[in-house]
Amino acid sequence: MLSAPAWVAVGLLGGAAAAARLLIDAAVTARTDHPFPLGILAVNISGALALGLVAGAALEGEALVIVAGGGIGSFTTFSTWILDSHRLADAGHTHLVWLNLGLSLLAGFVAVALGHWLGGLI
């Protein structure tokens, strides 16, 4: 069971992480006129790297819940990734749908593995 301060920390970090996701997505998206969702890709890959670091560093207890659940979980977004893929399909960009799905999965896996390795060095 989480302590009251930990719940507050989850909420505060989660809110800040969600806002960071929106800002990063908007900043990356504003720099391209391509329909591929590079902003969400950047967010999710950096989040995967961060989660790998946390796992590799063997963070546990309330700190793990606050950082991984509240922070990284609020920063990354599965639903927007899938919605972006659906929007690409609706727009007739079938090749970009598969690129978005495949690249996100592969790069996410590599980022988690790299983060886990780096976290183990800490």
Side-chain angles (χ1 to χ4, degrees):
M1 180 125 199
L2 287 181
S3 66
W7 278 110
V8 171
V10 165
L12 291 173
L13 186 57
R21 174 186 65 228
L22 292 172
L23 292 171
I24 292 169
D25 179 28
V28 171
T29 301
R31 288 169 174 70
T32 181
D33 61 352
H34 198 276
F36 190 82
L38 289 171
I40 292 301
L41 179 66
V43 164
N44 285 340
I45 301 310
S46 62
L49 178 68
L51 191 56
L53 281 167
V54 167
L59 197 63
E60 48 188 38
E62 287 188 339
L64 176 64
V65 173
I66 293 166
V67 173
I72 300 168
S74 296
F75 178 67
T76 59
T77 175
F78 176 80
S79 57
T80 303
W81 170 55
I82 296 302
L83 179 61
D84 284 344
S85 298
H86 185 269
R87 288 178 177 159
L88 288 170
D90 279 350
H93 300 295
T94 306
H95 63 290
L96 293 179
V97 171
W98 294 112
L99 179 63
N100 189 38
L101 294 173
L103 182 60
S104 294
L105 289 171
L106 180 61
F109 184 83
V110 170
V112 163
L114 176 62
H116 193 267
W117 177 73
L118 290 171
L121 298 176
I122 295 174

